[in-house]
Amino acid sequence: MRKEIIIQSDPKSPISEVFRALRTNIQFMNKAADCQTILITSTVQAEGKSWISANLATTFAQSGSKTLIIDADMRKPRQHKIFQMNNVPGLSNFLSEINDLGRRQRINGMDCVKPTEVENLYLLPSGNIPPNPSELLMSDKIIELINEVTKNFDVVIFDGAPCLLVTDSTIISRLVDSTILVTSQKYTKIDDLKDAKKRIKRVGGNIAGVILNRVEISSKKYEEKYYYASTNTPVLQTERRRQAKRNYEDSDFENNDELKIKNSFEKYNKKESKSIKRNDTEVDEYINDKIKDTQRQIQDEIRSTKFKSKVEVPSDKAREILDSIKKYKD
Amino acid sequence: MIDTHSHILPSVDDGAKDIIETFKIIKEACDAGFSDIFATSHYIEGEYEFDKTDRAFIIDAIMQKIKEERLDINIHIGAEGYISNELPNLIKEGIVPTLGESRYVLFELPLRAKVMYTDEVILKLTKMNLIPVIAHPERYELIQDDPSIAIDWIESGALLQCNYASIIGRYGMKAKETLYKLLDADAVHFLGTDNHRAGSIYTRMDEIKKEFRRRIGRDKLYELSELNPRCILNNEEFDIEMPKRIKGRRKQIKAVD
């Protein structure tokens, strides 16, 4: 899973706190108006819909509700990237009844739902990118899906497409219990927001509220950590580095013990500050050595297992080329 | 300098026709100052299907000849895969070699058609603990229309290899402009020649290097042509900079109603 799920990667950051507050607000609304299905949309693209819906869904899942997140943005799907899962089969396959190999097949909606790495959180990805997402959403099958899904899940979050550019989200907004609009500071235009509200009201959708995203926060006011907790970290944390880290964590249990020892040293240091400081660095060095060792082991493993070819004989074509090379003289 | 992309193996693909041309190219590469070359001949299912063992035998034979001729250059195994859902399996089964048997995998996309499943292939490869390297993104029509797709690839975990000759306009003005955009956005990680013929790119390296120096400076050129490819040779990872978002009009989805 990517670092974008701040609730999971950094549960103590102020941003996670804000998401938890948002969840409580929605839960209170839940009792009053029974809103089980929530659509998250915005005026134009790149305002933070997918990020907010992923994090909001994670907070719901952590609170114990069985949560489903549906990637309803069939034009530019992103949820499968955030949770690092396959995009097919998904919503578009269910709606169009065409499977990922291009054949006609009735697909059960619940078959497309996959569990994510977060406990209690499930994802219905968007599926293959269809040429006509709006038409697909107009069909009765979407109502069938919502009925089926609401039986099985406590909370269902739709990650929609921007509602000023395409009609997809407007269509969904009349089917769900409530709609949340995402805006971002110094980016969303007020007229656009008014227009979006008008469109949703016109088809009979309920707007629960507006989330203001990407608010600039002065570093004096909060800890510096807040600033770096956003997804725009200066150095890109790519999958391979995470993978290496994961391998390291999985492979070495001894090291975890070492970390515990290190933590205990830290605690001890706080009590008697200067006396044991040298030991701490020693432990650090030891851990660094261990990390290097395991990385080397992983690389050796890859070399020995993955890249072993079966038969060591050149094919006929290759033999011709080999002969020509042997004959070659300058 | 290390060349991460070349088609020098004789009659394996549409590159060098015979061993005579191969050695012409190798001598040109020596003169141009290359110390290592990855022989990344095409692997396209149904078209060019030389597997890893064949390539290893051919490269061994060529290396022997190079030692006899006392040339100071090394040829390493590699392949330019062609994107398909089968590609991760082919690599797993050891049919398509990775770059120098490291964790880096070079593959290309069709130049004109738009492929929808690039992200899935990248995801599959990264889950296999490999590092996907996408060949010459500046030549794809998809990227020329919207360079920010290349940034999306990097965010999914891929690295980009651009062609030296794009900067002198060998693949057209659009490719040249796209390369400029990618370079400005810190989105290029390796440079390769993609050399198919004798007397083509290796003979023009002075001119090309001058252009690159003018555009990105000496240090950055050294990084792209020597330091980063060296990491492939040593099978190491390196930290990349977060690419900048590319400005300019992005194709917007048209409103339907």
Side-chain angles (χ1 to χ4, degrees):
Chain A
M1 196 178 7
R2 298 176 45 141
K3 216 185 167 189
E4 279 174 86
I5 313 285
I6 272 181
I7 308 294
Q8 200 78 352
S9 62
D10 192 1
K12 280 177 188 164
S13 77
I15 296 183
S16 312
E17 216 45 66
V18 171
F19 272 110
R20 265 176 236 126
L22 180 63
R23 177 191 67 199
T24 335
N25 287 342
I26 293 170
Q27 274 170 339
F28 270 101
M29 252 164 37
N30 220 335
K31 277 168 193 158
D34 187 33
C35 70
Q36 194 184 356
T37 50
I38 302 158
L39 167 70
I40 291 176
T41 180
S42 67
T43 56
V44 289
Q45 74 271 53
E47 288 182 295
K49 292 179 294 298
S50 302
W51 181 71
I52 283 180
S53 30
N55 277 294
L56 185 61
T58 314
T59 39
F60 270 113
Q62 280 178 348
S63 74
S65 334
K66 205 178 170 196
T67 312
L68 174 69
I69 174 161
I70 297 180
D71 199 348
D73 188 350
M74 285 186 273
R75 295 162 202 262
K76 224 167 163 261
R78 235 173 74 76
Q79 291 298 342
H80 67 286
K81 278 193 197 171
I82 295 178
F83 290 100
Q84 296 193 320
M85 288 159 66
N86 252 338
N87 199 18
V88 285
L91 184 62
S92 68
N93 302 98
F94 167 77
L95 293 175
S96 64
E97 299 190 347
I98 295 171
N99 70 4
D100 51 317
L101 298 169
R103 295 199 190 93
R104 276 216 161 266
Q105 187 194 346
R106 246 190 104 80
I107 299 160
N108 191 354
M110 287 305 288
D111 288 347
C112 306
V113 176
K114 296 160 199 165
T116 63
E117 284 176 38
V118 185
E119 205 183 341
N120 276 330
L121 181 60
Y122 296 80
L123 172 68
L124 176 58
S126 76
N128 298 74
I129 298 170
N132 54 345
S134 314
E135 281 77 22
L136 287 181
L137 287 170
M138 294 284 259
S139 72
D140 290 342
K141 293 211 76 176
I142 185 84
I143 300 168
E144 188 190 310
L145 177 76
I146 289 176
N147 286 337
E148 201 181 341
V149 146
T150 43
K151 270 180 221 158
N152 289 310
F153 292 94
D154 301 331
V155 181
V156 180
I157 291 173
F158 284 82
D159 175 19
C163 71
L164 281 195
L165 300 178
V166 288
T167 47
D168 300 12
S169 290
T170 332
I171 296 164
I172 302 171
S173 73
R174 66 196 167 120
L175 305 171
V176 295
D177 297 332
S178 66
T179 305
I180 294 173
L181 280 164
V182 176
T183 59
S184 87
Q185 196 192 20
K186 289 184 178 174
Y187 184 83
T188 312
K189 295 188 174 92
I190 290 181
D191 289 344
D192 285 355
L193 194 60
K194 281 179 185 164
D195 198 7
K197 186 189 163 195
K198 221 183 274 172
R199 281 184 198 209
I200 291 166
K201 287 278 174 196
R202 202 164 52 203
V203 295
N206 297 319
I207 294 179
V210 174
I211 295 175
L212 186 57
N213 191 20
R214 292 208 188 128
V215 182
E216 284 167 27
I217 286 165
S218 71
S219 48
K220 283 176 198 164
K221 212 169 174 182
Y222 285 87
E223 288 175 32
E224 233 187 349
K225 212 179 169 190
Y226 193 118
Y227 226 77
Y228 289 109
S230 79
T231 44
N232 292 328
T233 42
V235 174
L236 185 71
Q237 188 91 17
T238 45
E239 167 61 15
R240 55 206 159 81
R241 251 175 282 158
R242 260 170 264 130
Q243 184 71 42
K245 204 178 156 196
R246 227 175 288 145
N247 283 345
Y248 157 65
E249 281 165 0
D250 291 347
S251 63
D252 210 329
F253 293 104
E254 272 178 40
N255 248 321
N256 286 340
D257 288 341
E258 290 304 326
L259 283 172
K260 273 178 204 163
I261 294 169
K262 193 194 164 191
N263 286 339
S264 65
F265 264 123
E266 272 172 9
K267 274 177 197 166
Y268 199 54
N269 272 349
K270 272 175 196 167
K271 284 173 194 165
E272 294 178 35
S273 52
K274 280 174 188 174
S275 57
I276 313 180
K277 218 154 200 180
R278 258 174 71 204
N279 278 333
D280 194 25
T281 54
E282 275 169 23
V283 173
D284 259 343
E285 275 171 20
Y286 182 76
I287 290 171
N288 280 338
D289 284 348
K290 270 274 174 188
I291 292 172
K292 273 176 193 167
D293 274 355
T294 44
Q295 278 174 352
R296 224 171 281 146
Q297 273 172 17
I298 292 164
Q299 282 180 3
D300 287 346
E301 226 171 80
I302 292 161
R303 267 192 211 124
S304 59
T305 55
K306 274 190 181 168
F307 302 113
K308 220 174 214 171
S309 43
K310 294 160 202 163
V311 195
E312 297 285 327
V313 179
S315 66
D316 295 342
K317 272 187 188 173
R319 211 164 277 159
E320 279 173 32
I321 298 168
L322 284 172
D323 288 341
S324 75
I325 294 170
K326 273 173 197 163
K327 280 173 202 161
Y328 171 75
K329 261 178 195 170
D330 200 21
Chain B
M1 283 195 294
I2 298 169
D3 189 358
T4 50
H5 190 158
S6 70
H7 299 268
I8 56 167
L9 296 189
S11 48
V12 168
D13 61 350
D14 58 347
K17 276 183 206 120
D18 47 25
I19 185 69
I20 300 164
E21 190 170 15
T22 301
F23 266 88
K24 263 187 200 162
I25 297 175
I26 288 173
K27 274 170 195 163
E28 283 167 15
C30 281
D31 294 341
F34 282 96
S35 63
D36 295 88
I37 297 178
F38 287 98
T40 57
S41 300
H42 289 289
Y43 187 96
I44 303 177
E45 287 161 80
E47 228 172 300
Y48 305 117
E49 292 190 330
F50 269 84
D51 67 1
K52 198 172 122 185
T53 20
D54 288 350
R55 285 162 197 255
F57 275 111
I58 294 167
I59 288 167
D60 276 352
I62 292 176
M63 278 307 291
Q64 258 182 3
K65 285 281 167 195
I66 286 175
K67 269 172 201 163
E68 283 169 26
E69 305 242 334
R70 294 190 183 163
L71 294 170
D72 188 21
I73 198 161
N74 288 311
I75 314 289
H76 302 275
I77 197 168
E80 184 183 11
Y82 191 81
I83 191 164
S84 76
N85 277 325
E86 273 301 295
L87 184 67
N89 289 338
L90 288 170
I91 293 163
K92 210 179 203 170
E93 287 162 17
I95 295 168
V96 176
T98 54
L99 287 178
E101 310 232 356
S102 65
R103 287 171 53 205
Y104 293 83
V105 181
L106 183 75
F107 65 92
E108 66 171 343
L109 276 63
L111 293 179
R112 311 232 166 271
K114 290 183 182 177
V115 180
M116 292 290 195
Y117 53 88
T118 315
D119 286 319
E120 277 167 46
V121 175
I122 293 174
L123 185 67
K124 268 189 196 170
L125 290 172
T126 46
K127 284 213 164 154
M128 284 163 63
N129 205 9
L130 296 168
I131 304 168
V133 181
I134 297 176
H136 42 65
E138 78 278 10
R139 287 179 66 191
Y140 306 138
E141 220 164 59
L142 176 76
I143 301 299
Q144 289 170 356
D145 287 346
D146 183 2
S148 48
I149 293 173
I151 310 292
D152 291 345
W153 290 341
I154 297 174
E155 284 179 353
S156 327
L159 302 177
L160 303 186
Q161 174 263 317
C162 286
N163 280 1
Y164 279 108
S166 297
I167 207 157
I168 51 168
R170 192 185 157 93
Y171 308 104
M173 279 312 285
K174 268 192 172 178
K176 186 175 168 178
E177 280 164 17
T178 315
L179 177 67
Y180 280 168
K181 280 180 192 166
L182 292 177
L183 285 172
D184 292 346
D186 276 332
V188 183
H189 308 109
F190 305 108
L191 289 172
T193 56
D194 200 358
N195 196 349
H196 283 66
R197 296 270 162 269
S200 57
I201 295 158
Y202 285 133
T203 48
R204 298 180 71 181
M205 281 310 291
D206 287 340
E207 184 190 344
I208 290 167
K209 279 198 283 191
K210 203 174 151 193
E211 280 292 315
F212 266 106
R213 260 183 237 125
R214 194 187 296 161
R215 187 75 195 182
I216 57 173
R218 192 177 290 268
D219 291 347
K220 185 77 183 168
L221 176 62
Y222 183 68
E223 190 188 317
L224 298 183
S225 62
E226 175 73 38
L227 287 182
N228 291 353
R230 184 69 66 188
C231 290
I232 304 182
L233 273 183
N234 299 340
N235 198 7
E236 287 167 349
E237 290 176 18
F238 60 93
D239 285 347
I240 59 167
E241 278 171 54
M242 176 88 178
K244 292 164 199 142
R245 276 280 146 199
I246 293 176
K247 283 176 193 168
R249 187 168 289 172
R250 204 175 169 142
K251 271 196 173 175
Q252 292 210 338
I253 312 162
K254 276 179 196 166
V256 180
D257 63 347

